[in-house]
């Protein structure tokens, strides 16, 4: 089978197409014939060597959608021919930029007939991330204000739609007026340019000065100060990337705020959340935006694009 691999860390050019033997699923694994996989920001960090613990050569890709080709002997819920999608795969799971990928059964769910392979791949990782942030970590409630930093990004575009479906008042940021407009089209009540010098005031005003109840932050190093400023009393900040910078004179205690880190890699049982994501997609509450599609030979280009940003939604790789 054809796979994308890198044999050494480096820039996007280290990605190449190789031939490998088709893998055999372990007893608790499903072998998926991959029809689409998406590019996640973290893929480029593993490739460059910024994140360690990668055994080389490595196949990138942490999500996929496709058709079950074979199942391990202990797998009960899937059979050859099923349409499926999978997300939240770690580097130990083997990578999905391959014609076939073995995936633990607990990270796979059935893909509704009405949802395309591209859309399933696009929303599996980021849909699970948004669900875990809002439902499991923040306990977002209807009518609350929530702020999604980078509402046009992969996670952001899923979070804007999920927050809207949950009945929250969604505010978001993006990198230009045009991207803000697109984020409002996804359901955000208001969207702001993240470079605005009056960002905090604009956000406060949009909440009628009540403050933001839930904040989904993907650049805590840059935005913790702003988060603490715009947070409402008892506000919850869920962070998916970045450390805690030195912030002085904070309203952390006075507002009784919670800052909570999360990582999808910590949840081994992803199937129940994927099933919820599937239901949201089937109902039309969560719709993937596919910004661009690439074939295996163009994976380097896709890695450059994910690092550059400036688009809405997800980049898709086709075998
Ligand atoms: N902890 C977890 O479980 C988890 C799960 C998934 C993802 N993540 C991490 O979360 C981050 C986002 O992932 P993703 O897949 O959504 O990435 P992505 O698709 O590349 O989106 C990145 C977003 O960040 C925005 N951005 C860029 N510069 C910004 C700035 N100065 N201020 C505010 N926003 C800015 C981008 O806007 P422009 O396009 O306008 O530049 C875009 O909206 C990544 O670091 C990823 O590794 C963590």
């Amino acid at each position: 089978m054809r796979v994308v691999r890198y044999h050494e860390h480096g820039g996007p050019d280290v990605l190449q197409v190789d031939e490998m033997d088709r893998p055999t699923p372990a007893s608790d694994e499903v072998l998926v014939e991959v029809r689409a996989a998406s590019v996640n920001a973290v893929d480029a960090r593993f490739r460059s060597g910024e994140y360690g613990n990668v055994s080389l050569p490595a196949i990138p890709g942490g999500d996929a959608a496709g058709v079950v080709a074979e199942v391990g002997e202990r797998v009960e819920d899937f059979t050859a021919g099923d349409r499926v999608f999978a997300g939240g795969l770690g580097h130990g799971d083997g990578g999905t930029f391959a014609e076939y990928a073995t995936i633990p059964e607990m990270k796979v769910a059935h893909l509704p007939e009405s949802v395309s392979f591209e859309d399933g791949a696009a929303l599996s990782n980021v849909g699970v991330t948004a669900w875990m942030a809002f439902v499991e970590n923040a306990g977002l409630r209807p009518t609350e204000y929530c702020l999604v930093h980078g509402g046009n990004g992969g996670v952001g575009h899923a979070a804007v739609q999920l927050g809207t479906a949950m009945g929250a008042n969604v505010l978001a940021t993006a990198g230009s007026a045009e991207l803000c407009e697109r984020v409002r089209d996804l359901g955000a009540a208001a969207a702001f340019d993240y470079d605005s010098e009056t960002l905090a005031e604009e956000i406060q005003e949009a909440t009628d000065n009540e403050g933001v109840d839930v904040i989904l932050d993907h650049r805590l190093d840059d935005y913790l100060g702003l988060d603490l400023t715009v947070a409402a009393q008892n506000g919850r900040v869920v962070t998916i990337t970045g450390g805690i910078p030195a912030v002085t004179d904070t309203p952390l205690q006075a507002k009784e705020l919670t800052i909570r880190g999360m990582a999808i890699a910590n949840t081994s049982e992803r199937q129940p959340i994927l099933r919820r994501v599937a239901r949201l997609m089937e109902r039309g509450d969560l719709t993937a935006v596919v910004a661009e599609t690439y074939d295996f030979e163009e994976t380097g280009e896709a890695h450059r694009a994910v690092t550059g940003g400036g688009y809405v939604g997800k980049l898709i790789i086709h075998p």
Side-chain angles (χ1 to χ4, degrees), residues 86-102:
L89 311 179
H91 247 62
D93 290 320
T96 55
F97 292 6
E99 285 180 311
Y100 292 87
T102 49

Side-chain angles (χ1 to χ4, degrees), residues 147-227:
L147 171 66
V148 179
H149 286 283
N152 61 301
V155 174
H157 96 297
V160 166
Q161 296 179 69
L162 178 62
T164 305
M166 291 171 76
N169 291 309
V170 180
L171 312 176
T173 68
S176 68
E178 190 208 326
L179 290 172
C180 285
E181 178 74 44
R182 304 267 316 269
V183 169
R184 281 192 288 272
D185 290 344
L186 293 173
F192 314 97
D193 192 319
Y194 56 63
D195 284 330
S196 166
E197 286 182 4
T198 54
L199 185 57
E201 290 85 346
E202 291 169 54
I203 293 168
Q204 280 288 23
E205 205 176 304
T207 68
D208 285 332
N209 290 318
E210 286 182 24
V212 181
D213 302 290
V214 169
I215 300 173
L216 174 52
D217 192 310
H218 68 296
R219 299 171 76 103
L220 199 67
D221 318 57
D222 296 328
Y223 289 110
L224 180 62
L226 177 129
D227 293 347

Side-chain angles (χ1 to χ4, degrees), residues 40-42 45 51 126 129 149-156 173-175 179 194-195 218-219 222-223 240-241 262-265 306 308-311 313-314:
N40 290 283
V42 73
R45 296 197 194 113
Y51 288 176
V126 299
T129 303
H149 286 283
N152 61 301
V155 174
T173 68
L179 290 172
Y194 56 63
D195 284 330
H218 68 296
R219 299 171 76 103
D222 296 328
Y223 289 110
I240 56 173
T241 320
M262 63 149 271
I264 47 170
V306 80
Y311 57 87
K314 296 288 293 179

Side-chain angles (χ1 to χ4, degrees), residues 14 21 27 33 39 45 63 98 100-101 108 126 154 157 196 226 254 282 285-286 291 302-303:
V14 297
D21 289 339
S27 60
E33 183 193 340
V39 183
R45 296 197 194 113
D63 56 38
Y100 292 87
V108 180
V126 299
H157 96 297
S196 166
L226 177 129
E282 204 170 18
D285 286 332
L286 196 49
H303 270 213

Side-chain angles (χ1 to χ4, degrees), residues 29-319:
E29 286 181 338
V30 171
L31 179 71
V32 177
E33 183 193 340
V34 177
R35 299 289 177 84
S38 91
V39 183
N40 290 283
V42 73
D43 298 346
R45 296 197 194 113
F46 279 119
R47 186 215 67 231
S48 70
E50 185 185 335
Y51 288 176
N53 297 329
V54 179
S55 56
L56 298 174
I59 302 173
D63 56 38
V67 177
V68 174
E70 210 180 313
V71 298
E73 69 251 18
R74 286 199 286 122
V75 171
E76 290 181 354
D77 292 341
F78 300 95
T79 175
D82 287 356
R83 299 174 87 250
V84 293
F85 71 135
L89 311 179
H91 247 62
D93 290 320
T96 55
F97 292 6
E99 285 180 311
Y100 292 87
T102 49
I103 304 177
E105 180 183 16
M106 284 317 297
K107 298 179 181 179
V108 180
H110 286 103
L111 185 68
E113 283 297 330
S114 60
V115 181
S116 70
F117 291 120
E118 278 193 2
D119 289 10
L123 283 171
S124 49
N125 246 359
V126 299
V128 170
T129 303
W131 180 279
M132 286 181 63
F134 283 166
V135 179
E136 301 193 350
N137 285 293
L140 178 65
R141 293 187 292 256
T143 78
E144 284 193 319
Y145 284 105
C146 74
L147 171 66
V148 179
H149 286 283
N152 61 301
V155 174
H157 96 297
V160 166
Q161 296 179 69
L162 178 62
T164 305
M166 291 171 76
N169 291 309
V170 180
L171 312 176
T173 68
S176 68
E178 190 208 326
L179 290 172
C180 285
E181 178 74 44
R182 304 267 316 269
V183 169
R184 281 192 288 272
D185 290 344
L186 293 173
F192 314 97
D193 192 319
Y194 56 63
D195 284 330
S196 166
E197 286 182 4
T198 54
L199 185 57
E201 290 85 346
E202 291 169 54
I203 293 168
Q204 280 288 23
E205 205 176 304
T207 68
D208 285 332
N209 290 318
E210 286 182 24
V212 181
D213 302 290
V214 169
I215 300 173
L216 174 52
D217 192 310
H218 68 296
R219 299 171 76 103
L220 199 67
D221 318 57
D222 296 328
Y223 289 110
L224 180 62
L226 177 129
D227 293 347
L228 299 177
T229 303
V230 302
Q233 196 70 24
N234 296 116
R236 293 92 78 200
V237 179
V238 178
T239 166
I240 56 173
T241 320
I244 296 194
V247 179
T248 53
D249 190 24
T250 79
L252 187 63
Q253 290 83 6
K255 288 186 182 174
E256 301 192 355
L257 305 177
T258 305
I259 301 173
R260 175 84 180 242
M262 63 149 271
I264 47 170
N266 290 335
T267 314
S268 59
E269 303 232 332
R270 240 145 278 149
Q271 195 185 79
I273 306 176
L274 280 167
R275 281 205 217 112
R276 304 280 182 182
V277 170
R279 213 175 286 170
L280 287 164
M281 291 193 289
E282 204 170 18
R283 289 194 336 195
D285 286 332
L286 196 49
T287 304
V289 178
V290 174
E292 195 60 76
T293 60
Y294 302 86
D295 59 32
F296 274 3
E297 284 74 14
E298 299 167 322
T299 306
E301 206 183 307
H303 270 213
R304 272 187 204 94
V306 80
T307 311
Y311 57 87
V312 180
K314 296 288 293 179
L315 309 174
I316 295 293
I317 302 285
H318 285 295

